[in-house]
């Protein structure tokens, strides 16, 4: 259970070569898809805003990203005088590497047999599986945080503080909704998560976790990873009106490009992860032709749908306020996903427990809601989350005043 | 290290190389923590140590522990360290050379030697847990989670729940203290936040 079949037998030169080829192919594919994704996003946003968008480089402007990349390469690479040089240079890579590493655990297709080896179409299938996603997404905070701090200026620091607070807050909700997937699968491995979703209820409804778990963990996960990605409507990290460019204000040239590469790579990776967790990954009907093609195609279609969703949300929704963001994370998503996790657990034990717990939740929820309404009307005190928000905004001010005093 | 050197013949070559690389990360990172003058560099070097330890866990087939190591230590605790370092403004090179605690170095050396002795003792004997420390997977499969969950929810249920209660108490008291300090403390004092607060009150 949860073991990569490639490494079950003795390790030969062949297995090593297959592993290396898998890494290279995944990296190349991800790079190309980032290039296409940036073009897709710009083009789609243009359509939604009644503009034309990039249309000069290549057919339909599809080579625009390449042109931009080349341009950024040849621009001057500025390092601010007050910056911490080593960390400043390190930070872009710290955001890029976790973005790629998360993609390695995503199953992009079925299982193929190559030269006498059974090869899963994913770079790695570690037994810790989906925990790797949580580990890497918690590590990816460093890139943003250190970039903001090492720039040695105020807006980046503000952006970085916002970003790390936001990412840490939403990680909890994300982890809890992943936990309900793990609970119903009985394994941490991503391949097991995908294979357990194969099949259908009554022959028509796919047995995806989206349906099996109820839609709630899916929605929680979707919102949480949008916040993790710092994408609109949760892009307070780089709110132009307030923070210039957020944590990457001081970055230029190729380091700036690396941040954008990481951001779009993260978007693609997280879309792939949500497909894996809730939409059956490469699961889908085989409509003829070679057997290994259709799973990959289904995977690409589902991932593409989420990429479209992200662009759509960016064009359609206004940015939330900082206290709204924290309220949503701590007061809505975490309680809801925690309650739903208990419910899924109870349903696993027996249906009677499950429905009893569900009824209890409704009663408790109603009481809680009433209590909160009464409590709010009785006290005009600022709640703790808002004061935390203003705390984060205030901190660099105290920093500078202390410097002034010296 | 001594243990590894003794039974070096019994270890497969890839395992040995992985161990040495990870050990280098761990020890190098640990040295970095105390050698670097800049606290942020020290914290970064601590992350290196955490990753090295995670690799060592994976090598011992403790994948779950490795993931938890990264999530909790590298992902949460060192982030908090960095938060404190950045927000309290101690992110500059330390200017002072004088040591505030005179006995610091000898004490650290003594504690280090005691800790080393304890580790060696635990690796060699069985009196602490009643079983020899093993470097093979516990149970018959790779499924760490099942083994840990059974232990936590049956044999060690009471300690587990007690820890949970302790954490809840810590969280609640933390929230309470933070809230009490916040209330009315700086509305008049800091003109920058006074504005912000007024706006928020008006919105309500």
């Amino acid at each position: 259970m949860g073991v990569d079949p490639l490494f079950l037998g003795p390790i030969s030169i062949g297995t090593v070569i297959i592993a290396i080829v898998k890494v290279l192919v995944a990296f190349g594919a991800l790079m190309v898809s980032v290039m296409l994704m940036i073009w897709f996003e710009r083009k789609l946003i243009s359509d939604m805003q009644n503009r034309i968008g990039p249309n000069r480089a290549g057919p339909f402007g599809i080579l625009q990203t390449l042109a931009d990349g080349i341009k950024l390469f040849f621009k001057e690479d500025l390092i601010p005088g007050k910056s911490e040089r080593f960390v400043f240079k390190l930070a872009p890579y710290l955001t890029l590497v976790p973005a790629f590493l998360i993609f390695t655990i995503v199953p992009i297709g079925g299982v193929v047999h190559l030269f006498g080896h059974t090869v899963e179409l994913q770079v790695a299938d570690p037994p810790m599986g989906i925990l790797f996603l949580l580990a890497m997404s918690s590590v990816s905070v460093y890139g943003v945080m250190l970039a903001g701090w090492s720039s040695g200026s105020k807006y980046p620091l503000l952006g970085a503080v916002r970003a790390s607070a936001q990412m840490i807050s939403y990680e909890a909700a994300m982890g809890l909704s992943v936990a309900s997937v793990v609970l119903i699968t009985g394994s941490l491995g991503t391949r097991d998560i995908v294979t357990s979703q194969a099949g259908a209820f009554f022959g028509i409804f796919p047995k995806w976790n989206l349906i099996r778990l109820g839609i709630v963990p899916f929605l929680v996960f979707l919102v949480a990873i949008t916040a993790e990605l710092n994408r609109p409507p949760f892009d307070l990290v780089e709110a132009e009106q307030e923070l210039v460019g957020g944590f990457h204000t001081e970055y230029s040239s190729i380091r700036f490009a690396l941040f954008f590469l990481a951001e779009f790579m993260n978007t693609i990776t997280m879309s792939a992860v949500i497909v894996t967790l809730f939409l059956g990954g490469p699961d889908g009907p085989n409509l003829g032709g070679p057997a290994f093609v259709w799973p990959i195609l289904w995977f690409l279609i589902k991932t593409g749908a989420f990429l479209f969703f992200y662009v759509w949300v960016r064009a359609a929704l206004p940015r939330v306020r900082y206290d709204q963001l924290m309220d949503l994370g701590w007061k809505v998503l975490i309680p809801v996903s925690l309650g739903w996790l208990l419910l899924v657990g109870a349903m696993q034990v027996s249906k009677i427990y499950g429905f009893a717990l569900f009824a209890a939740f409704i009663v408790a929820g109603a009481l809680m809601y009433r209590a909160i309404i009464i409590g709010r009307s009785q006290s005009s005190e600022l709640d703790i989350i808002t004061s935390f928000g203003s705390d984060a905004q205030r901190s660099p001010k105290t920093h500078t005043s202390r410097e002034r005093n010296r | 290290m001594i243990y590894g050197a003794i039974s070096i013949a019994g270890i497969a070559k890839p395992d040995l190389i992985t161990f040495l690389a990870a050990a280098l990360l761990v020890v190098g990172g640990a040295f970095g923590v105390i050698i670097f003058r800049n606290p942020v560099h020290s914290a970064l070097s601590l992350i290196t140590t955490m990753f090295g330890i995670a690799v060592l866990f994976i090598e011992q087939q403790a994948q779950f522990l490795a993931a938890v190591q990264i999530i909790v230590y590298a992902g949460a605790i060192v982030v908090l360290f960095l938060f404190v370092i950045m927000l309290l403004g101690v992110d500059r090179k330390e200017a002072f050379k004088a040591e505030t605690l005179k006995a610091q170095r000898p004490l650290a050396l003594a504690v280090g030697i005691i800790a080393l002795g304890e580790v060696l003792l635990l690796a060699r004997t069985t009196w602490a847990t009643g079983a020899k420390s093993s470097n093979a997977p516990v149970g018959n499969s790779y499924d760490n989670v099942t083994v840990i969950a059974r232990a936590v929810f049956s044999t060690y249920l009471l300690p587990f729940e007690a820890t949970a209660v302790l954490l809840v108490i810590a969280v609640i008291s933390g929230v309470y203290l933070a809230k009490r300090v916040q209330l009315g403390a700086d509305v008049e004092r800091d003109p920058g936040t006074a504005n912000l607060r007024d706006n928020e009150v008006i919105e309500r």
Side-chain angles (χ1 to χ4, degrees):
Chain A
M1 188 188 255
V3 185
D4 200 332
L6 186 62
F7 299 116
L8 271 185
I11 309 284
S12 64
I13 291 291
T15 30
V16 174
I17 289 176
I18 288 176
I20 291 173
V21 166
K22 280 206 282 192
V23 171
L24 291 179
V25 167
F27 188 69
L30 206 53
M31 282 299 183
V32 172
S33 48
V34 165
M35 202 186 104
L36 291 176
M37 173 63 193
I38 296 177
W39 168 79
F40 176 69
E41 174 147 354
R42 293 179 66 175
K43 207 67 181 165
L44 200 62
I45 288 252
S46 305
D47 277 354
M48 288 178 178
Q49 296 171 343
N50 253 342
R51 297 185 284 120
I52 294 170
N55 66 345
R56 296 286 145 173
F60 309 107
I62 203 163
L63 296 177
Q64 184 64 44
T65 316
L66 207 60
D68 285 346
I70 292 168
K71 185 193 79 173
L72 282 171
F73 242 115
F74 288 110
K75 284 191 128 183
E76 188 188 354
D77 183 17
L78 282 169
I79 297 181
K82 283 181 87 177
S83 68
E84 178 70 48
R85 294 179 74 91
F86 174 69
V87 181
F88 188 80
K89 287 177 183 167
L90 180 73
Y93 302 99
L94 286 182
T95 52
L96 191 63
V97 170
F100 173 67
L101 286 182
I102 293 174
F103 188 74
T104 58
I105 60 161
V106 174
I108 58 167
V111 176
V112 293
H113 297 277
L114 276 179
F115 313 116
H117 295 288
T118 309
V119 180
E120 292 175 338
L121 288 182
Q122 69 189 85
V123 177
D125 186 12
M128 64 171 124
I130 203 69
L131 285 181
F132 189 75
L133 161 76
L134 300 180
M136 284 305 121
S137 68
S138 58
V139 165
S140 65
V141 177
Y142 285 111
V144 173
M145 196 172 180
L146 292 173
W149 171 78
S150 66
S151 297
S153 97
K154 287 172 195 68
Y155 288 123
L157 185 66
L158 280 171
V161 169
R162 274 191 186 183
S164 26
Q166 174 177 339
M167 286 160 104
I168 292 170
S169 309
Y170 278 77
E171 230 156 61
M174 184 175 116
L176 285 170
S177 50
V178 167
S180 59
V181 172
V182 171
L183 199 60
I184 206 167
T185 310
S187 163
L188 290 170
T190 43
R191 177 62 57 177
D192 293 334
I193 288 175
V194 165
T195 45
S196 81
Q197 297 180 62
F201 294 120
F202 313 117
I204 33 170
F205 300 112
K207 227 177 106 186
W208 294 345
N209 281 340
L210 174 68
I211 297 170
R212 275 207 295 178
L213 287 171
I215 202 159
V216 173
F218 168 76
L219 290 178
V220 170
F221 191 79
L222 188 63
V223 175
I225 61 172
T226 313
E228 281 280 310
L229 292 171
N230 300 324
R231 278 196 62 98
F234 302 110
D235 61 338
L236 291 117
V237 176
E238 44 196 274
E240 292 87 354
Q241 297 89 335
E242 305 154 26
L243 293 176
V244 192
F247 65 92
H248 55 61
T249 306
E250 302 289 353
Y251 279 84
S252 59
S253 181
I254 195 64
R255 293 187 219 288
F256 175 75
L258 284 177
F259 273 118
F260 262 77
L261 186 66
E263 186 181 328
F264 281 91
M265 201 184 260
N266 258 324
T267 311
I268 294 172
T269 306
M270 284 303 188
S271 304
V273 166
I274 201 169
V275 166
T276 303
L277 286 178
F278 293 100
L279 290 161
D283 177 46
N286 188 347
L287 307 176
F292 76 96
V293 172
W294 279 102
I296 298 177
L297 217 55
W298 282 119
F299 173 79
L300 289 179
I301 290 171
K302 289 177 201 170
T303 310
F306 277 100
L307 293 177
F308 176 81
F309 168 81
Y310 277 122
V311 180
W312 186 20
V313 162
R314 177 177 164 185
L317 292 181
R319 183 180 296 137
V320 298
R321 231 172 40 221
Y322 192 81
D323 58 321
Q324 290 172 332
L325 173 94
M326 285 298 171
D327 277 3
L328 180 67
W330 288 100
K331 294 181 186 168
V332 179
L333 292 187
I334 290 177
V336 164
S337 53
L338 190 60
W340 205 265
L341 178 65
L342 289 178
L343 206 61
V344 169
M347 285 288 187
Q348 290 286 98
V349 176
S350 87
K351 289 277 180 282
I352 302 165
Y353 275 150
F355 284 113
L357 197 64
F358 190 58
F361 271 149
I362 291 176
V363 173
L367 286 175
M368 192 81 168
Y369 181 72
R370 185 72 194 135
I372 288 171
I373 294 283
I374 292 172
R376 266 211 189 132
S377 66
Q378 282 182 350
S379 78
S380 58
E381 293 173 358
L382 294 170
D383 50 60
I384 190 79
I385 304 295
T386 7
S387 58
F388 177 69
S390 58
D391 209 25
Q393 284 156 0
R394 195 184 57 230
S395 50
K397 249 175 213 155
T398 54
H399 185 111
T400 49
S401 67
R402 188 175 302 153
E403 274 179 347
R404 214 179 297 131
N405 290 342
R406 286 200 172 183
Chain B
M1 284 298 247
I2 294 169
Y3 207 70
I6 288 168
S7 56
I8 206 161
I11 302 174
K13 211 171 183 184
D15 280 346
L16 188 66
I17 294 170
T18 319
F19 171 76
L20 286 179
L24 207 66
L25 271 182
V26 172
V27 177
F31 268 115
V33 173
I34 50 175
I35 286 173
F36 284 132
R37 277 283 166 219
N38 189 324
V40 172
H41 291 177
S42 294
L44 284 180
S45 162
L46 188 60
I47 302 169
T48 321
T49 304
M50 298 303 176
F51 270 91
I53 292 172
V55 173
L56 288 178
F57 275 139
I58 289 180
E59 217 203 333
Q60 308 252 352
Q61 307 288 357
Q63 276 94 1
F64 180 73
L65 265 187
V68 169
Q69 170 81 18
I70 298 292
I71 294 171
V72 174
Y73 286 95
I77 292 186
V78 183
V79 168
L80 285 181
F81 285 179
L82 280 176
F83 248 116
V84 172
I85 291 169
M86 289 173 188
L87 295 186
L88 294 187
V90 290
D91 51 347
R92 269 168 259 112
K93 287 193 177 68
E94 288 179 39
F96 50 88
K97 285 276 187 286
E99 285 180 28
T100 43
L101 281 173
K102 290 286 182 216
Q104 194 167 279
R105 279 166 201 251
L107 262 179
L109 192 69
V111 172
I113 288 170
I114 292 171
L116 183 69
E118 191 188 350
V119 168
L120 289 178
L121 200 68
L122 286 180
R124 298 306 232 150
T125 59
T126 62
W127 59 265
T129 54
K132 237 181 147 48
S133 56
S134 73
N135 55 359
V138 183
N140 51 0
S141 71
Y142 285 89
D143 208 354
N144 282 226
V145 184
T146 317
V147 178
I148 291 174
R150 279 193 197 288
V152 162
F153 286 104
S154 56
T155 321
Y156 302 105
L157 183 63
L158 193 64
F160 177 69
E161 293 293 341
T163 316
V165 170
L166 195 67
L167 286 175
V168 169
I169 292 171
V171 168
I172 291 174
S173 44
V175 167
Y176 177 74
L177 287 174
K179 186 160 180 152
R180 203 176 51 172
V181 170
Q182 280 294 321
L183 276 182
D186 48 8
V187 177
E188 298 87 9
R189 205 181 59 211
D190 193 337
T193 50
N195 280 338
L196 209 134
R197 249 142 231 262
D198 290 344
N199 290 342
E200 278 174 2
V201 172
I202 289 165
E203 269 160 21
R204 272 153 203 274

